[in-house]
Amino acid sequence: VQLQASGGGLAQAGGSLRLSCAASRRTFNNYVIGWFRQAPGKDREFVATCNWGGMPTYYADSVKGRFTISRDNAKNTVYLQMNNLKPGDTAVYYCAASQRVTIEEGQYDSWGQGTQVTVSS
């Protein structure tokens, strides 16, 4: 499955952005889609994921209560709504596909190209 992430940009602290991850295959609803991010000089880290039906959802502690993952299988798209953004959220955000619900990066075998999110203070 090929993934295309979009929606990144520049936001002020406290602002919002919505990322989208569009998939190329009709079997999109058979895949779990997760979001990861990589800040400059840091390792890539898990952000959020959800099952093919949209539930359950899993979040990194750093984004709980601020980010919401959702999916629209009819549009082959997964969204990451990011509210109350903080400068620490600045990173390149990637979406990735897996056969199972997991927070482990190594279990995701298809990756999008990444979209830059920059949050200013």
Side-chain angles (χ1 to χ4, degrees), residues 1-6 19-23 28 30-38 44-54 56-60 63 67-71 73 76-82 92-115:
V1 58
Q2 291 183 327
L3 304 173
Q4 178 79 29
S6 62
L19 305 183
S20 299
C21 178
F28 169 77
N30 293 332
Y31 290 87
V32 171
I33 302 295
W35 287 97
F36 293 78
R37 67 186 182 185
Q38 186 168 21
R44 188 156 57 186
E45 63 177 3
F46 166 77
V47 176
T49 190
C50 66
N51 203 356
W52 67 270
T57 56
Y58 300 90
Y59 298 95
V63 306
F67 290 11
T68 302
I69 187 170
S70 62
R71 61 189 291 162
N73 289 337
N76 286 3
T77 302
V78 173
Y79 304 99
L80 185 68
Q81 178 66 43
M82 305 186 297
V92 177
Y93 284 71
Y94 299 89
C95 59
S98 175
Q99 297 285 343
R100 54 190 292 259
V101 179
T102 177
I103 67 172
E104 297 179 15
E105 180 179 339
Q107 296 295 321
Y108 289 80
D109 49 23
S110 296
W111 290 80
Q113 85 289 0
T115 184

Side-chain angles (χ1 to χ4, degrees), residues 5-24:
S6 62
L10 178 63
Q12 291 188 333
S16 299
L17 286 172
R18 189 176 79 159
L19 305 183
S20 299
C21 178
S24 62

